[in-house]
């Protein structure tokens, strides 16, 4: 029975009904709700604590464990899934826009393509478990990636570029800036409209010097921390 109680709380947490930091009902409340003994309740709570899902604070109660923010190392060029590989959490991408557009003068200059050349325009929301944490808008040259698919963009863009297309990624030139969230970002990421967020604008380059992507990302900064190591010149 204690496993069923633990399963019930896992479902509530995964569905977002219980959020990180939320308090669980008291042991006596759980006894009444599930009609079990205190021993069974404690077994269920211990199981959840052993799985790092909740934490118990003596004299206070049990709480949904707060996850550490994703560490975004500015000097490491890694994709969304690579950044989370050591976290062993469920992630997915919800593609909102997948279309081909003609490059205007500004976009053409950014991607180093001709004006009116066709480019992919993709917008997607990235999730950790069921929580949206990142809104990404990307443009990629159609001529370079004629076989790009919706399914690819639901997964790892970098895996597609490197493992499927066999291209060598060299670097990403990035700019980080604080902005106020747009209505679209507020809706997509459940943001506080009065709280500034970070936007990352980047261009990705292949080893041969070609620009393979231009992206704009906005992050829920409650879920990310941005780090860099600065060294004094010797």
């Amino acid at each position: 029975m204690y496993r069923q109680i633990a399963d019930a709380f896992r479902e509530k947490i995964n569905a977002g009904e219980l959020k990180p930091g939320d308090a669980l009902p008291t042991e006596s409340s759980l006894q009444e709700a599930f009609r079990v003994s205190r021993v069974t309740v404690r077994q269920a709570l211990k199981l959840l604590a052993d799985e790092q899902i909740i934490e118990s604070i003596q004299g206070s109660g049990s709480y949904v464990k707060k996850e550490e923010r994703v560490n975004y190392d500015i000097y490491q060029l890694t994709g969304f899934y690579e950044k989370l590989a050591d976290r062993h959490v469920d992630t997915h991408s919800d593609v909102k826009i997948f279309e081909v557009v003609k490059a205007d003068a500004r976009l053409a200059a950014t991607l180093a393509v001709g004006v009116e050349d066709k480019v992919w325009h993709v917008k997607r929301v990235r999730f950790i478990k069921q929580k949206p944490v990142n809104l990404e808008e990307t443009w990629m040259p159609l001529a370079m990636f004629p076989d790009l698919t919706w399914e690819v963009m639901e997964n790892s863009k970098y895996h597609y570029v490197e493992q499927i297309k066999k291209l060598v990624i060299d670097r990403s030139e990035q700019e980080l800036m604080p902005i106020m969230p747009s209505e679209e970002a507020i809706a997509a990421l459940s943001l506080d409209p009065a709280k500034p967020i970070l936007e990352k604008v980047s261009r990705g380059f292949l080893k041969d010097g070609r620009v393979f992507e231009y992206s704009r990302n906005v992050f829920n900064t409650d879920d990310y921390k941005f780090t860099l190591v600065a060294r004094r010149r010797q």
Side-chain angles (χ1 to χ4, degrees), residues 11-27:
E11 289 175 9
K12 289 186 178 220
I13 292 166
N14 289 334
E17 294 177 36
L18 283 171
K19 296 180 171 52
D22 283 354
L24 271 62
T26 63
E27 290 184 1

Side-chain angles (χ1 to χ4, degrees), residues 75-90:
Y75 287 125
Q76 291 276 333
L77 181 53
T78 52
F80 177 74
Y81 293 103
E82 293 170 313
K83 284 180 172 61
L84 294 162
D86 62 346
R87 296 275 292 271
H88 305 294
V89 295
D90 292 330

Side-chain angles (χ1 to χ4, degrees), residues 4-88:
Q4 293 175 336
I5 298 172
D7 288 342
F9 278 106
R10 275 196 215 91
E11 289 175 9
K12 289 186 178 220
I13 292 166
N14 289 334
E17 294 177 36
L18 283 171
K19 296 180 171 52
D22 283 354
L24 271 62
T26 63
E27 290 184 1
S28 58
S29 297
L30 291 174
Q31 280 182 259
E32 290 183 24
F34 289 96
R35 301 192 179 195
V36 294
S37 68
R38 184 177 293 270
V39 170
T40 300
V41 168
R42 288 182 173 174
Q43 285 179 308
L45 295 177
K46 183 179 184 304
L47 178 60
L48 292 171
D50 288 345
E51 294 175 357
Q52 302 291 305
I53 293 172
I54 68 168
E55 57 185 344
S56 296
I57 300 175
Q58 190 170 3
S60 178
S62 296
Y63 298 84
V64 180
K65 192 166 185 179
K66 292 183 179 179
E67 294 181 354
E68 291 183 10
R69 290 184 291 176
V70 178
N71 182 39
Y72 195 110
D73 186 340
I74 295 170
Y75 287 125
Q76 291 276 333
L77 181 53
T78 52
F80 177 74
Y81 293 103
E82 293 170 313
K83 284 180 172 61
L84 294 162
D86 62 346
R87 296 275 292 271
H88 305 294

